[in-house]
Amino acid sequence: MPAADLVLTDARVRTLDPDRPEATAVAVKDGLIVAVGGEPDVQDWRGPGTETVGLAGATLTPGLVDSHSHPVWGLEMSTGLDLSAVRDLDALRAALAGADRNEGWITAWGLDHNAFGGRPVDRALIEDAVAGAPAFIRLYDGHSALASGAALDAAGIAGPRTFAQRSEIVRDADGRLTGHLIEHAAMELVGARVPRPSYAERRARLGELLSAMAATGLTGAHVMDLGGDALELLRAAEETDDLPVRLLLAPWCMPGADTAELDGLVALQREAGRLWRVGGVKFFMDGTVEGGTAWLEHADCHGQGTEAFWPDPAAYTGAVRHLHEAGVRTATHAIGDAAVRHVLDTVASLGPSGRLRHRIEHIETVPGDQIARFAELGVIASMQPPHTAYTRADHTDEWSKRLGGERAARAWRCRDLRDAGAVLALGSDWPIAHYDARQVLATARAPRGAAGAGRALTGLMALEGCTTHAAVAAGEQTVSGRIAPGLRADLAAFGLDPVEAPADEVAQAPVRLTVTGGRITHRG
């Protein structure tokens, strides 16, 4: 064969390729893996221009993929004060009182619902801390926010609104606006007024973010959004260099979409760059448990959760069918049991052609009678183990209390899905949780809070969730997810074996090398 561009040697190679499960050396040329073998083969692969990297016994795996992330939109979602470490109201008020202001606004993100200590989310709890400033605080779930009185005034919100999708401007029993904005349409009324990072700032931050992601072993991310000037931003980023992380983007389809809009989403599938492309469409069948908008078969403890995000669920099914017939893959946000069931029923209605074409995101609570249907129908499960950190083993957290004991006991059934034969892709949902791929692997093996040890994946299952199963979720199983000749040279080398090392050590594993498309994007 022609001389390789890159040769990696002295490694324990976990190929995840059943034809050759292990090796010690890999050769790369023109962005593809061209040979997998042992040390005696290396001399035959090298030429005058070959870069050879000795990995000193590190474990080489297929590059990790975050199967649910928001690296472009998240640049705005994560603007301002990071409140992810805040645990109670006193800490929240102190943080807001000392917050910097941008054009007079206080913006913050990542606030845990549990910080309110069971109280309703209400601007009255923070008005003194913000001292009359317009404040917009995104809660950690990304589906709700808290706005101060001045922020509501700036957005011209004086009462309830009617929305085409499930959204709410919350009022208390006396009709007073609490500042709690639930779901995207309501949040955007204020969000549109918040000072936005400049184009230049976002372009710089995108490069920094993707490089930081690569430093955790990530070579790819399934981006569950495509809005604003994202395409322009990605094209501009590739004008000077290749992206450190390969991106697969899915624009949103929202309630009310007509045939022209659906056809527009089909046309978007042609958009691509060197290391990014549009591939799929994202739907929402519900919201979140904490926000009271997860679609449940029985109401939560507040009497909420019995409505779908799409006011007419049949219209959702029709939209999925339209895209399916056009050859477009879909991913649907479905957290509650009723939402999951409806998506499964929708894919079932497509017949055999729907197998391994459609996926469900999150799946935080699902009854046992639906677990087997994932494998039976070929519906891909996409889950985010780090989200379990927002719950508690004793079920005193807001997520568990809203659901009640029975549904909280079926939290994040990753292992049950794998044992039933389902494809299970894993991710972080950054900025909802940290993008560090090692934390995804670790928490999949040692779930926290309500998920409990009984939901733990094996080390191999966790690695497959970020490699082979992620490839299936993207429809890329013939070109990625394994280390084999002819596949993409997306690779990650760790200072320990992510399959056999204890989960807590995997979370801090040294990343010796990350390679995306044959190009070294990180050296540790």
Side-chain angles (χ1 to χ4, degrees), residues 83-145:
L83 297 175
S84 59
V86 166
R87 295 292 176 264
D88 57 43
L89 278 174
D90 287 342
L92 172 60
R93 285 191 282 254
L96 293 174
D100 293 332
R101 302 187 182 192
N102 181 8
E103 298 179 23
W105 281 76
I106 295 173
T107 57
W109 61 284
L111 179 60
D112 190 342
H113 288 74
N114 293 305
F116 292 94
R119 300 176 182 85
V121 177
D122 195 313
R123 60 189 172 91
L125 300 171
I126 58 118
E127 290 287 12
D128 57 339
V130 302
F136 184 66
I137 304 165
R138 293 183 183 271
L139 276 71
Y140 89 89
D141 65 355
H143 285 247
S144 54

Side-chain angles (χ1 to χ4, degrees), residues 401-456:
K401 287 190 297 185
R402 270 191 174 268
L403 287 178
E406 178 186 353
R407 286 181 293 205
R410 17 185 242 230
W412 283 272
R413 300 180 68 175
C414 293
R415 182 58 181 265
D416 294 338
L417 284 160
R418 277 301 307 262
D419 287 347
V423 174
L424 176 63
L426 302 178
S428 71
D429 200 9
W430 185 85
I432 309 306
H434 200 278
Y435 55 75
D436 193 330
R438 299 166 299 178
Q439 294 182 20
V440 174
L441 295 177
T443 52
R445 295 174 55 190
R448 305 173 190 173
R455 305 285 189 245

Side-chain angles (χ1 to χ4, degrees), residues 112-119 289-290 301-302 390-392 395-403:
D112 190 342
H113 288 74
N114 293 305
F116 292 94
R119 300 176 182 85
V289 170
E290 297 91 334
C301 69
H302 295 286
Y390 294 105
T391 65
R392 300 170 185 159
H395 293 174
T396 59
D397 59 281
E398 289 302 310
W399 186 91
S400 299
K401 287 190 297 185
R402 270 191 174 268
L403 287 178

Side-chain angles (χ1 to χ4, degrees), residues 62-87:
L64 303 184
V65 173
D66 187 329
S67 295
H68 191 121
S69 186
H70 300 280
V72 184
W73 181 41
L75 297 175
E76 294 184 43
M77 290 178 65
S78 60
T79 295
L81 181 65
D82 182 356
L83 297 175
S84 59
V86 166
R87 295 292 176 264

